[in-house]
Amino acid sequence: MNCISKDYIGCSRLAAAEGMVLLKNDGNILPIKAEDNVAVFGRCQIDYYKSGTGSGGSVHVPYSVNAIEGFKKCEFINLNEELAWKYGKFVEENPFDNGGGGWAAEPWHQEEMVLGDELLSSIRETSNKALVIIGRTAGEEQDNHDTEGSYRLTELEMDMLIKVCSHFDQVVIVLNVSNIIDMSFTNDERIVSSLKGILYAWHGGVEGGNALADIISGKVNPCGKLTDTISYQISDYPSHSSFDGDVMNCYEEDIYVGYRYFETFNHQAVQYPFGYGLSYSDFTIEVKEAKIKGEHILVKVGVTNTSDQYFGKEVIQVYYEAPQGLLGKPKLQLTAFAKTQLLKPKEEELLQITIPISSLASYDDSGISGKVNAYVLEAGEYKLYVGNSSKNLIECTIGENNGGYMVESLVVVEQLSQALSPVISFNRIKPGLLNADGNYEKVYEEVPTKKSSIKNRIISNLPNTIRYTGNKGILLSDVKEGKYSLESFIAQLSSDELQTIVRGEGMGSLKVTYGTAAAFGGVGSKLLQKGIPTACCADGPSGIRMDTGETAFQVPIGTALACSWNVELIKDLYTYMGNELQDHKIDVLLGPGMNIHRHPLNGRNFEYFSEDPYVSGTIASAITSGLKQGGAVGAIKHFAANDQERGRSVVDSVVSERALREIHLKGFEMAVKDGEATSVMTAYNPINGIWAASNYDLNTTILRNEWGFKGIVMTDWWAKMNDPVEGGQATINNTAAMVRSQNDIYMVVNNDGAEVNGYKDNLAKAIESGHLTEAELQRSAINICEFILNSSAMKRPIKTEGIKAIVSATNKDNVAAISLNEEVEVGFTKDSSLWVKVDKDGIYRLSATMRYDAFNSAQSACNLLMNNVFVTTINLNGTGGNSVSKKVADVQLYEGDYLLKLDFVKPGIEIIGIKLIEVE
Ligand code: BGC
């Protein structure tokens, strides 16, 4: 807890509270009043979720406050203690089911306690209000399903609600969920009249329970707004028929994601709109002025808190409606937002919102507007709307006009070239005629396919070779001090060294902070000799993941943060996290995750922000800027269109160039341009046939050449690559294709595998055959070294690998120590120990035969300790049940006995046999 200050904790608690979204508050059931007595139902009052699952949730936390603890600590909440005790007992007898603790094994929900009428009647005697907490989780490699217990309530949960609603007429449901869930149950006639309040509390990190108490008690006035549309039925989402494919998903909805779709084609299907959320206060919103100033539209909005009682904040959202033109446009698109300060009762704030006119442009990928591959403003009226949700808007007139911003004739805002376009032809939706009910008719048009030659593009942009000079004794620190240019430093790197530097090592490399995701940069002795430090990266995004079990703070999940719409607060929060990363000698946080919420069932939606790219880009920029201010770097991920977890490394995202640019890449573009992101993680999936990690248009044409990105691009862990020109099969060792696309670092080869090409990648062969030039390797080496030069790794002394020495211990356990000269069968699957005998002093290599019965990208880890000294973290990916033998660690030992302990932090791995032999 050394670097977890009170301010960090307070900031996270406030962010969790501000991210909660109040959807219903009939009769002002909330906040709880002094005279109320509250009965809290649902086991998640104890088993309160703080985060989703997988790499994004695997933080070992020093503590975590659940809902009931939060309520108990809150002086304004009178609890029904009898019921709290009952749930305590129930959870004790029916402990949390974590599915065994393995990768993607945790169930989406926990089984509820069955409620009897007798209990309910007795509880009702003391309590006048009931709170029902429903919990859900999901995560990496575990999408949600449209089934009970996942997207829908279970029978037992529904039964609980019906019973509570039949005894109480004042009921609030609290959704401790990682993602939106089906809300149709709220209209069930058996509960509708008693269900007065609905609160999306999301997963709030370790302070989640305190934050919930703050909202329920009124200490914090709700001010969160949905960053997704909740529709009545899941089949209403336009991506529903093209989600969860086995081979590919054709993004037929095109740019019409979320409210862009609903407001254009099916506005009646919306149960809770994008941007919506209630407060305990009321606010009046008045547009004071809207005018053109140079290249911008300036909007001044007065917001008054009309409440007599509550302090509060409001989020003002500005949308626009572009003329349909020939391209076709969504009826609404968010273009700016601003959150007020905490306004006293009756206080007014004047918000000044600036909108670049260029941001109203659409991308023409077909040429129908008259310009092809360009952002254009088609002629016509661009109407502006201001309000506090996508459904509660007032039209705002600009200047002296009686209407919006007028464009007389087509304006080209930015001329680009065709990039990343599909090779498969398919149809996308487009607005047709406007119907009387306010919806546009849905028509279809063919998506333009690829015409440009990637081969020519790559060849004509090949970098020039820097002539190899051999070692001139120039260190990277000399470049930092301005004594030599980076080019002259790179000129010293041999082909082998250049190949080494594009390989990251992990997980759990001993070269960097133990238990983290990867080491990169100085991963080989020769690179270290040249003064390249070993940089470290760790998951992310909601806290630092260290698989050793080392603890770190955990903040709310991405969706919760985004729902706060509080850019400053999020920036502050990640500044604290940047400091924490620095304290742990970690340079890069693997996050923010910022894929678009294309479909509600994506398991990793919790790490991401919104269905809207402007919200995603703004929140991601706040995070990258905050981390930078705190001394670290955020890797924006997963670039791009990684929109489902099932089959994530094979399922092709087939998307039009327009939808990519306007929706799926837009947030990343903002994080690069506004958030100054200097690190990108590519996705596992192919995009239009080319895997992200070897996709030249993605990583070079768009990211670097168009957006001006300066920094490193890394793959996702054990990603696959295929040929950037020909496409075809993808493999994990086509690193040449990766370098060619200018994805700089392969994450990850095994520990100590970078220098010896542990993954048997094809770099040397490709150089030899001319499929890759050394100049391309040098280009990536420059990207990596430039990044490291600006990172905190540069400030740390170069750590050369030493061999750990461990002294022998007195064997007090009364068990004979065994010799491990030959592999001894152990079969350890959970925390175990073994006394081991060493006959003479020397350097010993511990190796093990192990297996993990899971698919390749599943992760499992255990710590190895000898005489209670940490030696290493053994990480193993799913081996499909096959056994593998691996070096575990080299250690200096002395004659005597050693207690070898295995501490299974991430279960799944099975240590079948162990051997400890002296190294010659
Ligand atoms: C995930 C990434 C994560 C990486 C390292 C991958 O499985 O997709 O988001 O950062 O592992 O843990």
Side-chain angles (χ1 to χ4, degrees):
M1 292 266 286
N2 52 342
C3 43
I4 306 174
S5 63
K6 264 196 179 153
D7 289 345
Y8 190 1
I9 294 170
C11 185
S12 187
R13 176 171 175 167
L14 185 61
E18 288 207 11
M20 293 184 192
V21 185
L22 185 66
L23 293 183
K24 185 174 180 179
N25 197 25
D26 290 355
N28 296 327
I29 182 169
L30 291 178
I32 296 298
K33 318 284 176 304
E35 62 277 17
D36 288 336
N37 184 286
V38 189
V40 184
F41 294 88
R43 67 175 296 157
C44 286
Q45 58 184 278
I46 298 163
D47 295 327
Y48 198 69
Y49 290 105
K50 61 180 171 46
S51 168
T53 60
S55 61
S58 302
V59 186
H60 295 273
V61 294
Y63 74 96
S64 180
V65 182
N66 66 25
I68 206 76
E69 286 162 352
F71 295 160
K72 281 184 179 160
K73 279 193 278 170
C74 178
E75 66 271 32
F76 303 117
I77 301 178
N78 299 316
L79 277 184
N80 187 310
E81 300 286 348
E82 182 194 344
L83 188 60
W85 182 85
K86 272 253 176 298
Y87 271 102
K89 191 100 188 85
F90 172 75
V91 170
E92 213 178 286
E93 287 161 9
N94 302 273
F96 185 85
D97 171 13
N98 69 356
W103 188 251
E106 189 175 314
W108 294 298
H109 79 282
Q110 300 290 313
E111 224 38 36
E112 275 303 337
M113 174 168 99
V114 181
L115 295 177
D117 274 329
E118 214 177 297
L119 173 72
L120 278 156
S121 306
S122 111
I123 297 296
R124 179 67 183 94
E125 275 170 27
T126 25
S127 297
N128 61 326
K129 284 184 181 169
L131 229 73
V132 181
I133 304 186
I134 301 281
R136 281 292 180 278
T137 194
E140 189 170 349
E141 274 174 304
Q142 204 193 16
D143 286 321
N144 295 288
H145 283 180
D146 181 22
T147 52
E148 289 182 3
S150 182
Y151 193 60
R152 298 174 186 280
L153 297 195
T154 65
E155 232 175 84
L156 262 182
E157 286 165 342
M158 199 57 205
D159 182 65
M160 162 167 75
L161 261 178
I162 293 168
K163 284 184 176 149
V164 172
C165 285
S166 70
H167 285 81
F168 287 83
D169 58 0
Q170 296 198 72
V171 179
V172 178
I173 182 161
V174 173
L175 297 162
N176 171 217
V177 293
S178 52
N179 199 9
I180 56 170
I181 62 165
D182 174 66
M183 297 297 288
S184 56
F185 72 89
T186 56
N187 293 329
D188 188 300
E189 58 185 20
R190 293 165 294 181
I191 65 170
V192 74
S193 61
S194 300
L195 184 61
K196 303 270 167 42
I198 302 173
L199 179 74
Y200 262 89
W202 312 114
H203 295 180
V206 292
E207 284 292 318
N210 282 333
L212 181 63
D214 291 343
I215 290 288
I216 297 293
S217 67
K219 261 194 192 172
V220 175
N221 191 346
C223 51
K225 308 278 175 186
L226 287 178
T227 55
D228 291 307
T229 308
I230 301 180
S231 75
Y232 284 104
Q233 301 178 62
I234 195 159
S235 54
D236 291 332
Y237 290 94
S239 54
H240 193 62
S241 55
S242 58
F243 175 75
D244 202 27
D246 296 323
V247 180
M248 66 172 82
N249 290 317
C250 290
Y251 287 35
E252 172 190 285
E253 78 283 1
D254 209 53
I255 57 166
Y256 301 93
V257 178
Y259 70 89
R260 281 173 168 73
Y261 171 81
F262 289 108
E263 294 311 315
T264 312
F265 298 107
N266 193 4
H267 64 83
Q268 298 92 335
V270 176
Q271 189 172 2
Y272 292 104
F274 174 87
Y276 176 75
L278 299 170
S279 160
Y280 299 149
S281 306
D282 284 319
F283 296 90
T284 55
I285 301 170
E286 194 192 338
V287 178
K288 306 269 184 183
E289 191 185 7
K291 62 175 184 197
I292 309 287
K293 196 165 175 218
E295 309 283 285
H296 295 89
I297 303 173
L298 285 188
V299 186
K300 290 186 185 163
V301 186
V303 186
T304 308
N305 176 4
T306 59
S307 159
D308 296 321
Q309 203 181 346
Y310 299 109
F311 285 61
K313 297 183 184 177
E314 180 60 298
V315 179
I316 299 304
Q317 303 155 39
V318 184
Y319 297 81
Y320 71 100
E321 181 183 2
Q324 282 299 318
L326 295 165
L327 275 167
K329 319 269 165 46
K331 222 166 158 192
L332 278 187
Q333 303 192 65
L334 183 75
T335 179
F337 65 84
K339 191 165 188 170
T340 66
Q341 299 303 310
L342 188 64
L343 299 179
K344 289 190 226 119
K346 310 294 178 217
E347 188 180 348
E348 182 183 24
E349 183 177 347
L350 189 67
L351 295 172
Q352 308 222 29
I353 299 172
T354 309
I355 301 154
I357 293 169
S358 58
S359 71
L360 311 182
S362 303
Y363 187 77
D364 186 351
D365 55 3
S366 69
I368 191 170
S369 71
K371 278 286 168 193
V372 72
N373 302 124
Y375 272 103
V376 294
L377 290 165
E378 287 194 285
E381 183 185 5
Y382 289 71
K383 294 183 180 171
L384 273 199
Y385 298 92
V386 175
N388 61 0
S389 87
S390 57
K391 290 275 189 204
N392 186 31
L393 297 170
I394 32 172
E395 192 178 337
C396 136
T397 57
I398 300 176
E400 306 300 299
N401 293 343
N402 268 337
Y405 174 72
M406 291 304 297
V407 173
E408 299 306 329
S409 58
L410 187 80
V411 177
V412 177
V413 166
E414 194 181 10
Q415 180 65 60
L416 298 165
S417 51
Q418 191 186 47
L420 209 56
S421 11
V423 283
I424 295 173
S425 60
F426 65 104
N427 286 337
R428 62 180 171 194
I429 58 172
K430 187 180 176 177
L433 293 176
L434 185 61
N435 295 329
D437 65 357
N439 286 324
Y440 279 92
E441 183 196 344
K442 216 188 283 175
V443 296
Y444 290 84
E445 70 175 9
E446 221 176 288
V447 171
T449 49
K450 184 172 137 199
K451 289 175 195 72
S452 51
S453 154
I454 281 285
K455 190 170 179 184
N456 290 348
R457 190 169 276 173
I458 295 176
I459 301 300
S460 58
N461 284 305
L462 280 180
N464 295 328
T465 313
I466 303 171
R467 200 176 55 80
Y468 175 58
T469 57
N471 192 355
K472 294 280 179 199
I474 307 171
L475 298 175
L476 195 59
S477 54
D478 294 330
V479 181
K480 179 93 193 161
E481 286 161 22
K483 293 186 196 150
Y484 291 92
S485 70
L486 185 54
E487 288 219 338
S488 41
F489 175 79
I490 295 291
Q492 307 175 104
L493 302 186
S494 67
S495 186
D496 273 354
E497 288 163 355
L498 290 169
Q499 290 170 39
T500 306
I501 205 170
V502 299
R503 302 178 186 128
E505 291 181 353
M507 310 185 71
S509 164
L510 294 182
K511 294 173 183 164
V512 288
T513 303
Y514 298 156
T516 54
F520 68 97
V523 282
S525 52
K526 296 202 185 112
L527 297 175
L528 287 169
Q529 279 158 17
K530 299 217 163 46
I532 304 176
T534 323
C536 174
C537 49
D539 283 310
S542 68
I544 307 171
R545 167 186 174 194
M546 287 171 284
D547 280 349
T548 47
E550 171 85 22
T551 59
F553 193 63
Q554 191 163 26
V555 305
I557 57 171
T559 305
L561 293 176
C563 286
S564 77
W565 301 62
N566 192 333
V567 179
E568 284 308 312
L569 185 66
I570 296 170
K571 186 172 170 196
D572 288 349
L573 186 61
Y574 274 86
T575 305
Y576 290 118
M577 203 187 286
N579 295 154
E580 193 187 357
L581 285 153
Q582 277 240 316
D583 284 358
H584 285 284
K585 301 187 175 56
I586 298 166
D587 308 291
V588 182
L589 181 79
L590 301 175
M594 50 178 308
N595 296 83
I596 288 293
H597 288 175
R598 176 176 181 252
H599 191 274
L601 297 185
N602 181 7
R604 287 186 96 169
N605 277 351
F606 80 94
E607 292 181 56
Y608 310 147
F609 305 122
S610 172
E611 64 187 21
D612 178 80
Y614 182 79
V615 170
S616 303
T618 309
I619 303 298
S621 299
I623 293 180
T624 51
S625 318
L627 285 169
K628 188 171 170 195
Q629 197 153 305
V633 170
I636 49 178
K637 69 184 187 186
H638 306 90
F639 191 51
N642 182 178
D643 300 324
Q644 90 179 31
E645 283 302 293
R646 198 173 68 80
R648 61 184 173 155
S649 53
V650 290
V651 177
D652 192 6
S653 296
V654 178
V655 200
S656 79
E657 192 184 338
R658 179 177 182 192
L660 282 166
R661 290 183 181 276
E662 288 190 25
I663 306 291
H664 300 278
L665 300 181
K666 186 53 93 190
F668 288 96
E669 181 177 357
M670 289 174 67
V672 168
K673 291 180 175 170
D674 310 334
E676 294 176 31
T678 53
S679 171
V680 171
M681 184 196 293
T682 46
Y684 280 121
N685 50 288
I687 304 158
N688 293 325
I690 308 290
W691 265 255
S694 56
N695 199 312
Y696 184 86
D697 270 351
L698 184 70
N699 300 314
T700 297
T701 314
I702 294 178
L703 177 68
R704 300 189 195 255
N705 298 353
E706 289 183 6
W707 300 348
F709 173 78
K710 291 251 171 296
I712 48 165
V713 179
M714 64 181 86
T715 67
D716 200 341
W717 270 231
W718 315 285
K720 290 181 182 170
M721 287 79 56
N722 66 345
D723 191 280
V725 176
E726 308 293 335
Q729 280 291 317
T731 62
I732 57 164
N733 31 33
N734 193 355
T735 312
M738 174 196 92
V739 174
R740 177 141 273 203
S741 87
Q742 212 176 161
N743 182 325
D744 307 300
I745 310 173
Y746 187 78
M747 295 295 195
V748 286
V749 302
N750 47 321
N751 290 325
D752 299 329
E755 214 167 31
V756 296
N757 191 13
Y759 252 46
K760 302 204 175 10
D761 68 35
N762 62 350
L763 285 173
K765 267 198 200 139
I767 295 275
E768 210 181 290
S769 64
H771 283 89
L772 182 72
T773 63
E774 260 176 27
E776 288 166 288
L777 270 174
Q778 287 174 329
R779 181 177 63 185
S780 281
I782 291 176
N783 293 338
I784 296 166
C785 288
E786 207 159 48
F787 177 86
I788 289 181
L789 276 168
N790 293 315
S791 78
S792 41
M794 214 50 210
K795 297 182 200 135
R796 296 194 295 267
I798 301 255
K799 188 176 151 194
T800 42
E801 299 151 64
I803 289 188
K804 213 172 237 177
I806 301 174
V807 289
S808 59
T810 318
N811 181 346
K812 286 191 258 160
D813 287 353
N814 235 355
V815 270
I818 56 166
S819 164
L820 293 180
N821 293 340
E822 281 181 13
E823 186 164 295
V824 170
E825 258 183 52
V826 287
F828 292 148
T829 53
K830 52 180 191 298
D831 297 355
S832 327
S833 58
L834 183 73
W835 277 100
V836 172
K837 187 185 225 26
V838 168
D839 294 329
K840 64 175 179 52
D841 301 359
I843 295 180
Y844 286 79
R845 172 158 300 171
L846 189 89
S847 3
T849 301
M850 42 195 145
R851 77 172 157 236
Y852 176 20
D853 195 5
F855 44 88
N856 181 263
S857 51
Q859 300 172 19
S860 172
C862 71
N863 286 334
L864 169 74
L865 295 96
M866 290 181 92
N867 292 346
N868 289 327
V869 176
F870 171 81
V871 178
T872 189
T873 304
I874 311 173
N875 289 86
L876 190 69
N877 287 91
T879 63
N882 298 323
S883 307
V884 289
S885 295
K886 289 218 292 188
K887 166 189 157 189
V888 169
D890 287 342
V891 266
Q892 161 88 59
L893 301 174
Y894 306 93
E895 185 188 340
D897 288 355
Y898 290 84
L899 182 64
L900 191 146
K901 257 196 211 158
L902 287 166
D903 166 20
F904 285 72
V905 256
K906 259 196 171 337
I909 180 171
E910 184 183 349
I911 309 287
I912 306 167
I914 312 183
K915 185 160 75 173
L916 185 71
I917 49 164
E918 199 179 351
V919 183
E920 299 305 312

